[in-house]
Amino acid sequence: MNSSKRLKYLGVSLFLIILLIVVVSIYHNLTQVSQYSILYISNFSKIEDIIALNASTIFIVGSKTCGNISHGVAGYYYLNDNEFKQVNLSKLFCCGAIYSVAYNGSALMLVGACKINGVLHPAIALISNNKVTNLTSYIPRGYYPGRALAVAWFNKTWFIGGNFLFNLDQHYVSVMFLIGLKGNSTINLTLNISNILNQLPEGCILSLSVGHNCILIGGKFVIYLVLFKFNSTSIYEINMTKSIFKYPGFIISLSQFNSSTWVVGGEYFPVNSTICHPYLVLYNSLNSCINYIKLNYTIGFVTSVSSYNGNIVVSLRIPFKTPQGVEGGTVILEGKINALKQTFDEVNISINQLLFLNNRIIGGGYKVTGNADEGILIFLNEN
């Protein structure tokens, strides 16, 4: 073989090698974002909320079901050791669940529900210095049957929201409540919401998100979708329906995107429709401006939103078409606000909370297996 042919074959070989390296690199970059692992935590049937305590520890709350009876469960998960340590809560959340947890740097507040004499009551507990204290007595009397569904620490106060059933003209309606615990006193803000709406505040509070100088309050609203802002002196109503839709709906999750902007997600129901539609918007707390974030899904609902480094991550519960028929499942979208990409999809999984920690996304929720549910943590973007 002469030298010119050898050089030609050598050039072709080098080109093929470079092409192979490029293809492998592109494939790695495309698939890396979709890498994930699922960890089953047998202590839970459902994980409702997760928060980061530090770079190596997260706190998890939820419930465990045995037969037809569930009880609240909480504990620490140590990422470096892959170990879960359950907290002994005695019977504080017996026959109920824990729905939300907040951390103020030294103590944890857990909120949920328990049954007392067969009736579901809101329940709250404080964990400080490895001691668990029952604070349920601070909830105003009459807020039952009911549940505490959201908690946040703001302005040296624990804010707790939820709902209870109210007897209205011989039939029960769900009414939202909001209270603040500061020291040994309870601040009842439920009447403030009622006065703003000028009517009974039907629905429930599902989400609380703390900013620099205010706290946003979201939930289920029977008449139309609405958002409240609390700045320690009063509650302001932000009527989202003027910019989005005049329908009832849910604000399921809130996440602060920057100093004045929140990502808001949930679902809404058009008139005379029982089909839920997901939505995602940006809300500016300075000028009350609301902007859509496009979602390529028309049926389902947003279950959680989280923000990090100028990006957002969103989980949605949507229907999946399977050989067995239509089943529920989850998709997770991640990226810049106007360039979200799907990084996860799986049937029979629900994600209730997302957070960003150590350059990876962690989701807490559950997987439906047969007639039972199993608590799970999902880890995405692992290297």
Side-chain angles (χ1 to χ4, degrees), residues 6 49 53 127 132 146 148 186 212 216 222:
R6 284 199 298 268
D49 196 8
L53 303 184
I127 300 177
V132 179
T186 300
H212 175 66
L216 290 193
V222 175

Side-chain angles (χ1 to χ4, degrees), residues 84-105:
F84 177 74
K85 181 182 178 182
Q86 186 168 328
V87 174
N88 182 4
L89 297 171
S90 186
K91 296 183 179 181
L92 291 183
F93 298 92
C94 182
C95 299
I98 305 172
Y99 297 106
S100 183
V101 58
Y103 183 53
N104 68 357

Side-chain angles (χ1 to χ4, degrees), residues 37-275:
S37 62
I38 298 178
L39 175 69
Y40 292 85
I41 302 183
S42 60
N43 305 68
F44 294 90
S45 297
K46 289 184 178 181
I47 291 175
E48 299 286 354
D49 196 8
I50 57 174
I51 59 170
L53 303 184
N54 52 51
S56 60
T57 308
I58 61 176
F59 196 82
I60 309 173
V61 299
S63 63
K64 177 71 173 180
T65 301
C66 300
N68 296 322
I69 300 174
S70 69
H71 59 273
V73 179
Y76 302 87
Y77 183 74
Y78 301 99
L79 297 168
N80 294 339
D81 302 323
N82 292 322
E83 179 186 2
F84 177 74
K85 181 182 178 182
Q86 186 168 328
V87 174
N88 182 4
L89 297 171
S90 186
K91 296 183 179 181
L92 291 183
F93 298 92
C94 182
C95 299
I98 305 172
Y99 297 106
S100 183
V101 58
Y103 183 53
N104 68 357
S106 61
L108 290 154
M109 181 68 81
L110 286 56
V111 305
C114 68
K115 280 191 176 180
I116 301 174
N117 297 325
V119 179
L120 199 65
H121 285 65
I124 57 177
L126 184 75
I127 300 177
S128 180
N129 298 320
N130 296 318
K131 180 183 178 182
V132 179
T133 304
N134 184 359
L135 299 180
T136 302
S137 60
Y138 285 89
I139 297 176
R141 293 183 179 181
Y143 283 8
Y144 65 88
R147 300 173 297 170
L149 298 169
V151 60
W153 172 259
F154 173 69
N155 197 27
K156 298 182 180 180
T157 304
W158 296 106
F159 287 86
I160 298 165
N163 73 312
F164 65 97
L165 294 183
F166 180 76
N167 190 340
L168 179 65
D169 298 329
Q170 304 304 313
H171 72 278
Y172 286 93
V173 296
S174 175
V175 175
M176 65 185 70
F177 75 79
L178 179 67
I179 63 172
L181 299 185
K182 190 169 187 178
N184 295 320
S185 62
T186 300
I187 308 164
N188 195 339
L189 300 168
T190 307
L191 185 59
N192 297 46
I193 297 177
S194 183
N195 289 338
I196 289 171
L197 294 174
N198 196 29
Q199 64 182 44
L200 192 69
E202 291 188 49
C204 64
I205 289 175
L206 293 171
S207 48
L208 300 169
S209 182
V210 176
H212 175 66
N213 57 4
C214 67
I215 181 170
L216 290 193
I217 305 159
K220 174 187 176 183
F221 303 94
V222 175
I223 300 174
Y224 50 77
L225 206 56
V226 67
L227 186 65
F228 296 101
K229 180 174 72 172
F230 181 76
N231 65 357
S232 78
T233 57
S234 62
I235 296 180
Y236 294 98
E237 177 189 5
I238 300 91
N239 190 339
M240 297 175 64
T241 59
K242 292 180 180 178
S243 300
I244 305 180
F245 30 65
K246 295 181 179 180
Y247 306 128
F250 291 73
I251 295 173
I252 295 175
S253 187
L254 298 160
S255 178
Q256 189 174 25
F257 183 70
N258 57 39
S259 60
S260 61
T261 306
W262 272 261
V263 183
V264 181
E267 63 179 320
Y268 69 95
F269 297 86
V271 175
N272 299 324
S273 175
T274 58
I275 298 176

Side-chain angles (χ1 to χ4, degrees), residues 300-317:
F301 56 94
V302 172
T303 61
S304 181
V305 295
S306 184
S307 309
Y308 65 95
N309 302 332
N311 296 315
I312 63 173
V313 56
V314 185
S315 61
L316 294 97
R317 180 83 172 167

